[in-house]
Amino acid sequence: GGGPFGGGGGGGGPFGGGMFDQMLEWCSKSHAQDIARRMGIDLHNIDFKFDAQGNCTVQVDAPNATAEQIRALGEAVQEECPIARFRKSQATADAPKKMDWIPLPKS
């Protein structure tokens, strides 16, 4: 519930969790769609999972893509998406804020 931006969400400072993670997700998804099209990847869905340290695992459902293509897609998104780029610039040794782009595990 609660409005278009979802619930609050913890995390210290203005860029911790909650709304920033949502913005990162929306922005990355829209860029990923465009980039996947350019790369010839049939992108079905992207699922973002954040851990307590602020790292993000991005599970990509793209049946025809290799793990290498998905990693390249993730790198391109982090170059083109201003929010992902900003997030990367905020990384420190203590909080690397990694974004790992991986194929959706086959069920």
Side-chain angles (χ1 to χ4, degrees):
F5 297 109
F15 299 111
M19 196 164 126
F20 186 73
D21 288 348
Q22 282 284 214
M23 287 164 48
L24 175 71
E25 205 169 310
W26 292 333
C27 188
S28 293
K29 275 182 181 174
S30 92
H31 283 276
Q33 296 285 354
D34 290 342
I35 295 163
R37 247 194 315 278
R38 293 201 303 258
M39 291 173 72
I41 294 173
D42 181 19
L43 186 61
H44 292 208
N45 192 30
I46 307 177
D47 191 33
F48 289 71
K49 293 189 174 18
F50 294 91
D51 69 16
Q53 287 72 48
N55 295 315
C56 178
T57 301
V58 186
Q59 290 187 337
V60 180
D61 182 4
N64 72 337
T66 65
E68 180 57 42
Q69 284 175 308
I70 288 172
R71 209 174 69 241
L73 173 67
E75 284 174 16
V77 169
Q78 289 185 77
E79 290 302 308
E80 292 189 23
C81 168
I83 294 177
R85 206 167 50 233
F86 173 79
R87 184 176 185 275
K88 202 171 165 184
S89 76
Q90 300 301 299
T92 63
D94 296 336
K97 296 191 187 302
K98 288 199 297 285
M99 265 184 108
D100 289 324
W101 290 68
I102 60 169
L104 187 70
K106 304 274 183 273
S107 49

